[in-house]
Amino acid sequence: MRSAGAADYFDTFGLERRLGIDVAALQRRFYELSRQWHPDFHQAAPAAEQARALEASARVNAAYRALRDPIARVEYLIRLEEGRETKEGAAVKPKAPPALLAEMFDIQEALEQARAAALDDALRGALAAQREALRTRMTEAEARIVGPLSRAWDAAAPAERPGVLAALKEALATRAYLRTVIDDLEAALGEGPEETHVAHRGD
């Protein structure tokens, strides 16, 4: 860690702004920094130093949460590149990307039918099949984000990065919309949402 007031989470761990990260090495560095800045080790220090340690410890934890998960890492990178501190529009229900509009029309129609009347076996089966198909689509979208698109970012020259960033944002928008529709299907089927994406959770 270069300083308690490092510019961004990558810098907090002494990393370049890349999406390909050795997660095991990241975890080891996290443990090192956690021990270094844990407030318990600074209790006898002056108040200013205690405050600095508390701030640094909180930053290390936040940085680790953002960088250990490949999807969260992409989302953080986009915010960083766009100069945003928070997840802009995170509380807004995602809109269907143009490429999915026609495909989602039938699903939305079936959802409206399910909300308006009791589910029969045929409609339940149709909704369940659509949900499984969308889960597959979301897994594919995530694999594209953490695979070829992330590698493209790491290999991109500065002039190429805006295009890669736009592709990452589009893929994330598709994933967010699919997740929302899957949740809607699960609610219509009387089931709870399940965490299905490929991002690593761990510790």
Side-chain angles (χ1 to χ4, degrees):
M1 184 170 181
R2 299 172 193 176
S3 71
D8 62 62
Y9 290 162
F10 291 95
D11 192 61
T12 296
F13 283 96
L15 298 171
E16 295 180 21
R17 199 176 290 188
R18 294 171 56 86
L19 292 173
I21 287 179
D22 182 336
V23 178
L26 180 76
Q27 185 180 59
R28 289 192 297 270
R29 184 62 177 147
F30 168 67
Y31 291 147
E32 291 172 2
L33 292 172
S34 294
R35 286 191 294 270
Q36 177 184 345
W37 294 109
H38 197 287
D40 288 353
F41 297 135
H42 298 266
Q43 289 180 344
E49 186 176 328
Q50 289 185 44
R52 179 171 175 264
L54 187 63
E55 179 185 349
S57 178
R59 183 176 188 81
V60 166
N61 287 329
Y64 184 59
R65 285 194 301 271
L67 298 184
R68 68 177 178 176
D69 179 313
I71 295 292
R73 192 183 310 147
V74 171
E75 292 172 338
Y76 175 69
L77 175 80
I78 290 171
R79 294 201 304 275
L80 196 60
E81 288 291 318
E82 294 184 339
R84 291 186 287 116
E85 292 293 328
T86 59
K87 294 182 179 180
E88 187 176 77
V92 179
K93 192 169 184 177
K95 296 180 180 179
L100 291 177
L101 278 173
E103 185 179 344
M104 294 297 118
F105 182 79
D106 289 343
I107 293 178
Q108 295 297 344
E109 202 171 52
L111 280 169
E112 290 301 321
Q113 184 180 346
R115 292 172 184 134
L119 282 176
D120 57 25
D121 289 343
L123 183 54
R124 178 176 291 277
L127 291 178
Q130 288 167 333
R131 178 194 58 192
E132 293 309 309
L134 291 186
R135 283 177 173 172
T136 298
R137 289 285 299 276
M138 192 171 76
T139 298
E140 292 170 350
E142 290 175 339
R144 182 167 176 260
I145 292 167
V146 304
L149 286 178
S150 289
R151 290 193 295 271
W153 170 265
D154 289 348
E160 299 169 332
R161 287 186 169 179
V164 180
L165 204 69
L168 283 165
K169 289 179 66 174
E170 182 180 354
L172 282 172
T174 296
R175 173 187 179 271
Y177 181 74
L178 291 171
R179 175 72 268 176
T180 297
V181 178
I182 289 168
D183 287 347
D184 288 345
L185 287 166
E186 288 173 344
L189 290 165
E191 302 173 3
E194 297 176 11
E195 185 66 37
T196 58
H197 66 67
V198 297
H200 303 293
R201 290 298 176 188
D203 316 291

